[in-house]
Amino acid sequence: MDFNVTQETVAINEVVFEGNAEQPVDLDLTLPDYCPDMARVLKCQVTPMISSRQMNGAELTVEGKTMIRLLYVDDGMKSVHCMEQSTAFSATFSLKTEPMSPIVQVSASVDYVNCRAVSSRRADIHGAFTLHARVQDKCMHQVMTDASGCGIQLNKKVVPVSNIVGMAERPFTVSEVLDLPQGKPSAVSILRSGCVARVTDYKAIANKVIVKGDLTIRTLYCSEDDSMELTEHTIPISQIVDLEGIEDDCICDVRFDVLSSDLQLKADSSGENRLICAEVRLAAVVSAYRSAEVPMICDAYSTDYEVKCDSREVSLEKVLEVLCRDSTAKFTFDLPSDDITNVCDLWSEAGPASSEVSDGKLLIKAPLTICMLALDSSCTPVYFERTAELQYDWEIPSDVQSVRADPCITVLSSSFSLMGADRIEVRVEFRVEGCVYATCQQQAMCSLEPDEENPKQRQQTAALTLYFADQGERVWDIARRYSTSVDAVMRENGLENDRLSERGMLMIPIC
């Protein structure tokens, strides 16, 4: 029996691991001697910051530190103070096998935080956050790509995909001495700070990626007259990331992650605290893909013999777009019943992003907490927050049947305007990042063998059979039913497409 099969090894991206790990937060916080007593806790904030994610064989190790920030009012009920403390955390995830070219995604979400003032000097803090880990890898599979002989008929398909090139990250530190703007009073203490790093441009060359962007540092500080003041500084940043195999034709997802920040006040030449020494730890993270095509046999039969075959379903993905889009959302809220006279600071925190498909659009969403520090009519500091949801709509191309995304939403800035005495309008600028994939489930032939001991039975009296076909039927299905070739049916009936555009009679030649 003259029958030949061709097989190829192809790379297919697969999610090889998804898992969560809960991390407890338990802290007995004692104020240092230089801090005044606390009369009332305004806000206890827990922020997990991931500093590294390392693959070691089949184990993923995630390390970082949890920043605990306590905002409180002293006995005079007029001044706000801040106490910060950090604790290290580490989590290990075990994979079934060691990945070849992993792309690792790790995020953290705070589950709950409880803070109780045990005394004027101590606070008991309990909470938890969850680490979410996801690992993609380039897996090698043997698939059949061609076969010939024994009247074999093949339904071939070439599927466009995006193969993983790899992932690399380069940690680096930005150290700057920042001046308080002219007209701003000198500082006594820093109450809150926020750092946002964004990519503005990148270029991939042989085995390297040049990444440019900026780092914005926003600082809320307490002045000598107990007023709260805001400053903002923007610093240009750039890095070169080494990634083996990357070229200028690769599809790249490039980001800056803020790993940690440390801000300290410093006196200038006049002896006043008008300098902020900022040390911010960041990482430039690059994930790269390359467009490719996967040839495969989706179905097969023989015009001469019954066929023994085996197939499996494979999941294939193609990067449609690497999102890096800025958007704006507006929200209007009622202020609390307290007579708010001044909003001293407003900031927003976005939770883990998710995505869903609805009415031809990919809806990318993230929960949002809007935090406000204000003064009431008696000039007593108060804190309150509101919840909302950020959403970005991405139009799905009409020729794409199924999509998924690995989105991330980062708040770039928040601003507000008071609408009378009891309403506030909040404007949030945010960035949506991540890959959007076209996905498909495809049957791929693994083995194929004509059974020469089981030839097909034919009607010897007829050379043609008439068949009344419906609109939308495939010539492949009709030819298979009559054990003839697709080419013969299309040639006999002058057809150009496999799928029939209208009902009609077909002449089926019997091979």
Side-chain angles (χ1 to χ4, degrees):
M1 180 172 64
D2 186 16
F3 181 69
N4 300 302
V5 170
T6 303
Q7 289 190 327
E8 289 185 21
T9 300
V10 298
I12 297 175
N13 297 350
E14 294 181 2
V15 177
V16 296
F17 178 80
E18 276 189 290
N20 301 320
E22 185 178 279
Q23 299 290 299
V25 178
D26 296 299
L27 182 66
D28 185 3
L29 188 147
T30 301
L31 297 179
D33 293 339
Y34 57 82
C35 288
D37 291 350
M38 61 182 156
R40 179 161 58 92
V41 174
L42 293 176
K43 170 69 173 177
C44 180
Q45 183 180 26
V46 171
T47 306
M49 306 190 78
I50 298 166
S51 59
S52 70
R53 47 205 161 201
Q54 296 289 333
M55 289 298 312
N56 184 14
E59 286 193 340
L60 167 63
T61 301
V62 180
E63 294 180 339
K65 65 178 181 179
T66 309
M67 293 296 302
I68 297 100
R69 179 183 291 116
L70 187 70
L71 285 175
Y72 68 93
V73 181
D74 62 19
D75 288 333
M77 298 298 287
K78 299 298 182 184
S79 299
V80 179
H81 303 271
C82 179
M83 173 60 192
E84 286 188 346
Q85 191 164 326
S86 65
T87 60
F89 69 82
S90 177
T92 300
F93 300 89
S94 296
L95 284 65
K96 292 183 179 179
T97 58
E98 180 179 355
M100 295 171 50
S101 304
I103 287 185
V104 180
Q105 296 167 321
V106 182
S107 62
S109 60
V110 178
D111 301 322
Y112 70 94
V113 179
N114 294 324
C115 178
R116 183 174 63 92
V118 179
S119 69
S120 61
R121 307 295 301 173
R122 287 179 53 226
D124 191 20
I125 301 170
H126 297 284
F129 63 91
T130 300
L131 295 172
H132 312 274
R134 191 173 193 270
V135 182
Q136 271 187 300
D137 193 25
K138 179 171 63 178
C139 301
M140 310 308 292
H141 293 273
Q142 282 282 111
V143 297
M144 292 182 55
T145 58
D146 202 3
S148 61
C150 297
I152 201 71
Q153 302 293 307
L154 303 176
N155 184 5
K156 295 182 180 180
K157 192 172 186 178
V158 177
V159 184
V161 298
S162 300
N163 284 339
I164 295 173
V165 175
M167 176 183 179
E169 60 180 279
R170 182 180 178 86
F172 64 102
T173 301
V174 174
S175 298
E176 291 282 339
V177 177
L178 310 172
D179 294 302
L180 292 183
Q182 290 292 329
K184 289 283 188 180
S186 299
V188 172
S189 62
I190 293 176
L191 300 178
R192 194 190 70 82
S193 63
C195 300
V196 176
R198 62 174 188 165
V199 173
T200 57
D201 190 22
Y202 75 88
K203 183 177 182 179
I205 54 178
N207 300 320
K208 296 181 184 298
V209 183
I210 302 170
V211 189
K212 297 180 180 180
D214 53 52
L215 170 67
T216 299
I217 302 174
R218 296 181 180 89
T219 309
L220 175 70
Y221 69 90
C222 184
S223 67
E224 292 178 342
D225 61 359
D226 287 338
S227 65
M228 287 179 276
E229 301 286 340
L230 280 167
T231 66
E232 181 176 305
H233 299 81
T234 299
I235 305 164
I237 54 177
S238 63
Q239 280 295 301
I240 298 176
V241 182
D242 294 323
L243 179 54
E244 186 70 27
I246 196 170
E247 301 285 350
D248 58 1
D249 63 340
C250 287
I251 305 164
C252 298
D253 183 4
V254 183
R255 308 181 198 183
F256 282 124
D257 289 345
V258 177
L259 306 180
S260 65
S261 62
D262 182 39
L263 275 64
Q264 301 292 334
L265 293 174
K266 182 180 178 181
D268 63 6
S269 56
S270 67
E272 295 184 333
N273 287 334
R274 300 198 56 81
L275 302 176
I276 299 174
C277 297
E279 185 171 291
V280 183
R281 186 75 172 159
L282 303 106
V285 183
V286 179
S287 302
Y289 304 82
R290 178 173 283 111
S291 297
E293 292 182 334
V294 175
M296 57 180 56
I297 299 173
C298 305
D299 197 6
Y301 67 90
S302 170
T303 59
D304 300 332
Y305 302 97
E306 298 296 335
V307 172
K308 299 176 183 178
C309 60
D310 187 25
S311 65
R312 69 168 178 266
E313 188 176 69
V314 295
S315 299
L316 302 174
E317 294 185 336
K318 176 187 176 183
V319 177
L320 294 174
E321 184 179 341
V322 179
L323 295 177
C324 185
R325 300 192 182 185
D326 296 342
S327 187
T328 302
K330 290 183 179 180
F331 308 96
T332 303
F333 302 105
D334 290 330
L335 292 172
S337 56
D338 301 334
D339 187 11
I340 301 299
T341 59
N342 182 31
V343 176
C344 303
D345 190 18
L346 183 145
W347 67 98
S348 302
E349 301 168 354
S354 61
S355 62
E356 62 182 60
V357 175
S358 177
D359 296 329
K361 295 180 179 180
L362 182 69
L363 310 183
I364 300 173
K365 303 178 181 181
L368 182 72
T369 303
I370 298 172
C371 310
M372 288 167 266
L373 191 59
L375 298 177
D376 64 13
S377 56
S378 62
C379 291
T380 299
V382 294
Y383 171 85
F384 57 99
E385 60 186 41
R386 297 290 184 266
T387 58
E389 185 177 66
L390 294 175
Q391 179 172 316
Y392 180 83
D393 297 351
W394 187 81
E395 197 79 29
I396 300 174
S398 57
D399 59 341
V400 175
Q401 295 182 346
S402 178
V403 298
R404 78 165 187 88
D406 294 325
C408 174
I409 290 182
T410 303
V411 174
L412 300 178
S413 66
S414 302
S415 58
F416 68 92
S417 58
L418 294 174
M419 304 171 65
D422 58 354
R423 301 275 290 174
I424 186 171
E425 183 183 79
V426 179
R427 177 186 173 96
V428 179
E429 295 183 6
F430 62 97
R431 172 167 287 192
V432 181
E433 296 174 295
C435 292
V436 180
Y437 306 85
T439 65
C440 70
Q441 304 294 319
Q442 188 67 58
Q443 290 292 329
M445 284 283 174
C446 306
S447 63
L448 180 64
E449 182 182 0
D451 186 359
E452 60 181 336
E453 295 182 358
N454 193 5
K456 290 191 173 179
Q457 301 299 318
R458 301 185 179 280
Q459 294 180 353
Q460 301 295 330
T461 57
L464 286 173
T465 295
L466 297 181
Y467 176 76
F468 289 90
D470 288 328
Q471 182 182 359
E473 277 197 84
R474 295 176 61 213
V475 176
W476 170 269
D477 297 326
I478 298 169
R480 179 172 185 159
R481 186 181 309 160
Y482 287 94
S483 296
T484 189
S485 71
V486 173
D487 289 342
V489 175
M490 297 187 72
R491 188 169 53 250
E492 187 70 31
N493 295 276
L495 300 175
E496 295 182 357
N497 297 317
D498 176 60
R499 196 170 294 277
L500 301 176
S501 60
E502 58 185 17
R503 297 182 65 190
M505 185 180 69
L506 296 181
M507 292 181 290
I508 311 298
I510 305 300
C511 295

